[in-house]
Amino acid sequence: MDKICARRGRADSPLAAAVMAGRWIRSAAADDEHGRRWQANPDPRGNSAVTPEPWSLYSGSAGIVLFFLELAAATGQETYLEDAREGARRLAATWRRQQDLTLYHGLTGVMIALMEAGWTLGEAAFEAEAAAIADEIVRRGGELGDGVQWSGDPAQRGEGGVILGLLRAAAHLGDPAYEAAAVEAGRRIARLPVPGHRFGDCADLPLDAVTPGFLAGTSGTAFLLARLYGVTGEEQFLRAARSGAAFVREVSLVSGGRAVVPHHVPQARDLHYLGFCSGSAGVARMFYELHRVTGDPGDLDWARRLARGIVTSGAPGRRSEGYWNVACQCCGTAGLIELFVGMWAATGDRSHLDYAGVLASDVIGRATGDDEEGYRWYQAYRRLRPGEVTADTGYMVGAAGIGAALLHLDAATQTDSPRRVILLPDNPFPPIPLPPAT
């Protein structure tokens, strides 16, 4: 069934490597009466890098469903659609057991997967379940009696991701109530003095640490506020987004047209992550979103500075404190590929696409599995635990997300037959990864 890639030998293209990743993920499938899920780590003696979340976008079935939808589009192999359908069927049947509402770890991510599966597969029942999740999110957001809010955490890991998901649902499902709830919740976040500064409970961080990064920091919150400005035109959102962006610029290290961002301040000004979750690849998304909704060339310049900081760091050949033995979307090479493919599509600068190819060659070369089992990536997901090496199947932590990044690079090279790729709500780049002129 995997005609794109030979049974033996190193994959010679991003598409072939993605097919090999799909082969390994398939080996982790487990079916029951509700549908299909995938083990986080199918190695006989292996353990997952993260807490088990069999439904989530971060490390569970929701992200793997998205990967198989994209793999089917890239290869023309309809068998991958069956994988996605069975995974979505189980999500639709079991989502009511989950309490977490967030984008990456909870029901908002499940909603995104069901919307995409319903649209691609022509399954109205999946979209109906997605709408039911959106209704549940809105209902629970009004339970506190103080406007619309859920957790009080404005970061992407908290309410920020939920709001972005509701905006996507409003556009996809055509229900303005979802946008109205998202905007109301966003107005409360916009009133925070400097959006994104309420982060004292991040794992492994001091209680007084301030994180300028994306998933749990200022950049992700500023991205959200910029998105809300683009949706509503309300100046309060733009002012708040600018406040967050100004803080990020203030704490960044700028030199020779390049920029890097500290992981947290004031304790770790010299620790510069490169990846999506807490580093340059995520922060660049915030500046590009500001450029997208305002047209300000200064914001695009900052996105370019951050990209240049990644290139001049020596990655992928040089492993630094902020770019260690990690390949995944969250904090590794796959997240960098997403940035540079996006920057190519946004600007047409060929150097971005060329560098994405360098990153892809590196990540393909680091894969394990030139055999019947397929590709998996052994990595030290947690920087502070370098001896804890695992290989996972999920989207943000494992093979599904690495495969998706490779598929996005493949799509960017198909100028004669462009195709839509599936981007998560916090990705601001064009869903057809080609420059406008192309």
Side-chain angles (χ1 to χ4, degrees):
M1 293 187 293
D2 298 328
K3 297 178 181 178
I4 302 298
C5 187
R7 282 291 176 183
R8 295 196 179 276
R10 177 63 42 174
D12 60 0
S13 71
L15 178 57
V19 169
M20 292 289 278
R23 186 180 299 170
W24 185 66
I25 294 168
R26 278 178 157 176
S27 75
D31 292 355
D32 60 22
E33 69 275 15
H34 297 302
R36 182 167 300 161
R37 62 179 179 85
W38 293 268
Q39 296 170 270
N41 185 320
D43 284 355
R45 291 178 295 175
N47 294 306
S48 173
V50 294
T51 302
E53 294 175 348
W55 64 90
S56 78
L57 188 59
Y58 199 86
S59 58
S61 294
I64 293 174
V65 165
L66 296 181
F67 168 66
F68 277 123
L69 291 173
E70 293 209 75
L71 194 56
T75 64
Q77 299 293 311
E78 292 194 7
T79 55
Y80 297 126
L81 293 180
E82 189 60 25
D83 292 292
R85 179 179 285 106
E86 286 302 299
R89 188 166 72 84
R90 194 173 196 281
L91 291 173
T94 61
W95 68 263
R96 289 172 177 82
R97 303 176 187 174
Q98 316 307 331
Q99 293 300 311
D100 191 310
L101 295 180
T102 61
L103 173 62
Y104 281 107
H105 300 283
L107 287 178
T108 301
V110 174
M111 178 185 70
I112 297 297
L114 287 173
M115 286 193 300
E116 290 289 346
W119 185 81
T120 301
L121 299 168
E123 296 270 1
F126 292 156
E127 291 186 302
E129 291 299 322
I133 293 174
D135 292 339
E136 175 68 6
I137 291 170
V138 172
R139 183 188 68 78
R140 287 170 60 177
E143 286 183 343
L144 296 180
D146 184 23
V148 178
Q149 62 175 306
W150 296 273
S151 67
D153 181 351
Q156 295 285 31
R157 66 174 185 179
E159 295 196 357
V162 176
I163 293 169
L164 289 174
L166 286 177
L167 292 176
R168 174 73 65 88
H172 185 107
L173 301 171
D175 191 332
Y178 305 148
E179 180 179 310
V183 171
E184 184 177 349
R187 290 189 181 114
R188 183 184 60 80
I189 294 173
R191 291 193 292 269
L192 297 175
V194 179
H197 278 211
R198 295 183 176 181
F199 304 108
D201 59 344
C202 291
D204 303 317
L205 291 187
L207 290 177
D208 61 342
V210 177
T211 53
F214 200 80
L215 275 189
T218 309
S219 293
T221 307
F223 175 99
L224 166 72
L225 294 163
R227 175 67 55 84
L228 286 167
Y229 170 71
V231 169
T232 67
E234 294 181 15
E235 288 294 326
Q236 62 176 322
F237 291 126
L238 182 58
R239 286 194 300 269
R242 288 285 182 214
S243 175
F247 169 75
V248 174
R249 288 196 301 269
E250 181 180 345
V251 300
S252 296
L253 176 64
V254 181
S255 174
R258 60 182 285 272
V260 290
V261 183
H263 181 267
H264 59 279
V265 292
Q267 299 90 348
R269 290 186 178 274
D270 295 326
L271 175 59
H272 305 127
Y273 274 34
L274 301 186
F276 159 71
C277 60
S278 301
S280 300
V283 176
R285 290 188 183 192
M286 178 266 290
F287 281 109
Y288 180 72
E289 178 70 5
L290 273 168
H291 169 73
R292 191 182 70 83
V293 299
T294 67
D296 189 331
D299 297 315
L300 181 59
D301 179 64
W302 259 88
R304 287 180 167 133
R305 289 184 186 203
L306 290 159
R308 197 173 299 122
I310 294 171
V311 175
T312 58
S313 73
R318 177 177 176 266
R319 297 284 159 170
S320 64
E321 251 198 307
Y323 181 67
W324 60 100
N325 176 26
V326 63
C328 64
Q329 284 261 3
C330 184
C331 40
T333 311
L336 303 188
I337 293 172
E338 294 281 18
L339 170 66
F340 283 91
V341 169
M343 289 293 289
W344 147 250
T347 67
D349 184 340
R350 180 74 195 192
S351 68
H352 294 311
L353 190 61
D354 291 342
Y355 187 65
V358 171
L359 293 164
S361 295
D362 179 81
V363 81
I364 292 171
R366 291 175 180 270
T368 296
D370 291 329
D371 53 27
E372 296 288 330
E373 295 184 30
Y375 278 2
R376 57 272 193 198
W377 282 265
Y378 289 93
Q379 60 179 4
Y381 167 72
R382 292 180 173 84
R383 181 181 66 87
L384 297 178
R385 303 181 195 175
E388 187 180 278
V389 176
T390 61
D392 280 72
T393 57
Y395 197 96
M396 295 305 292
V397 295
I402 296 169
L406 294 171
L407 290 176
H408 298 168
L409 174 58
D410 174 73
T413 66
Q414 306 302 316
T415 56
D416 294 332
S417 53
R419 69 176 187 266
R420 171 184 176 267
V421 299
I422 297 174
L423 301 181
L424 300 183
D426 57 12
N427 189 322
F429 296 113
I432 297 178
L434 295 175
T438 306

